[in-house]
Amino acid sequence: MTRSTAMAPLASKPDLDVMKQVNRQFVTGVTVVTAMDGETPRGLAVNAFSSISLDPATVMVCVQRTSTTHDCLFRAGHLAINILSTDQLDVVGTFAGKADDKFREVEWESGPYGSPLIARSSAQMEVEIRERLQASTHTVFICRVLHAAVADSRPMVYSAGKFFDGGALAPLG
């Protein structure tokens, strides 16, 4: 029997606690994804963000379908990705929670395509949603970048349940 026709062993489901430990080893950026729900701004903290391509500029974000912000994002044509800076612990705390009006105490403005851009962010993008892919418990939003801005502030990063100064990381080599 050749390898291509051999029966592969059944993969076992990884232990949930082990998967949590594995994920804690990965350093991620900290973003708040925002969109307008009619006249109401909505948003949530998201660490599942990644660049896909620079030309054309394409990114992705993953959002759990049970999130109260998910349906607004799913209906939206545009959304904003706000990469948080080190002086925005208050913002990440707000958007990681379940408050009805997360924008009440957050300074923001509408981007060129109407999405909420949060003040003091390290970087911001406004994107057009091109694809919505269902992946188990999440929706993966594939987006084309239409507007981008970078501030002179250091990004916040997240690892092992804690937030860090992304500009203070020690280089290797």
Side-chain angles (χ1 to χ4, degrees), residues 87-109:
D87 67 346
Q88 290 181 295
L89 278 174
D90 59 325
V91 174
V92 73
T94 297
F95 284 90
K98 302 281 186 195
D100 287 334
D101 185 2
K102 296 177 184 178
F103 286 84
R104 185 177 64 238
E105 295 182 24
V106 174
E107 186 181 341
W108 65 279
E109 64 183 10

Side-chain angles (χ1 to χ4, degrees), residues 10-12 32 37 41 43 49 56 66 68 74 77 80 104 106 112 129 163 168:
L10 294 176
S12 63
V32 170
D37 190 6
F49 158 79
T66 57
T68 57
F74 199 86
R104 185 177 64 238
V106 174
I129 300 171
F163 297 100

Side-chain angles (χ1 to χ4, degrees), residues 82 84-85 88 91 106-109 117-121 124:
N82 300 274
L84 298 189
S85 67
Q88 290 181 295
V91 174
V106 174
E107 186 181 341
W108 65 279
E109 64 183 10
L117 299 176
I118 298 175
R120 299 184 292 136
S121 295
Q124 303 163 321

Side-chain angles (χ1 to χ4, degrees), residues 86-147:
T86 55
D87 67 346
Q88 290 181 295
L89 278 174
D90 59 325
V91 174
V92 73
T94 297
F95 284 90
K98 302 281 186 195
D100 287 334
D101 185 2
K102 296 177 184 178
F103 286 84
R104 185 177 64 238
E105 295 182 24
V106 174
E107 186 181 341
W108 65 279
E109 64 183 10
S110 291
Y113 297 88
S115 303
L117 299 176
I118 298 175
R120 299 184 292 136
S121 295
S122 180
Q124 303 163 321
M125 287 176 267
E126 195 168 11
V127 303
E128 177 184 26
I129 300 171
R130 293 291 185 97
E131 296 181 60
R132 296 160 180 84
L133 308 172
Q134 300 307 309
S136 186
T137 58
H138 288 65
T139 298
V140 180
F141 296 89
I142 307 295
C143 308
R144 182 70 49 86
V145 179
L146 302 175
H147 167 77

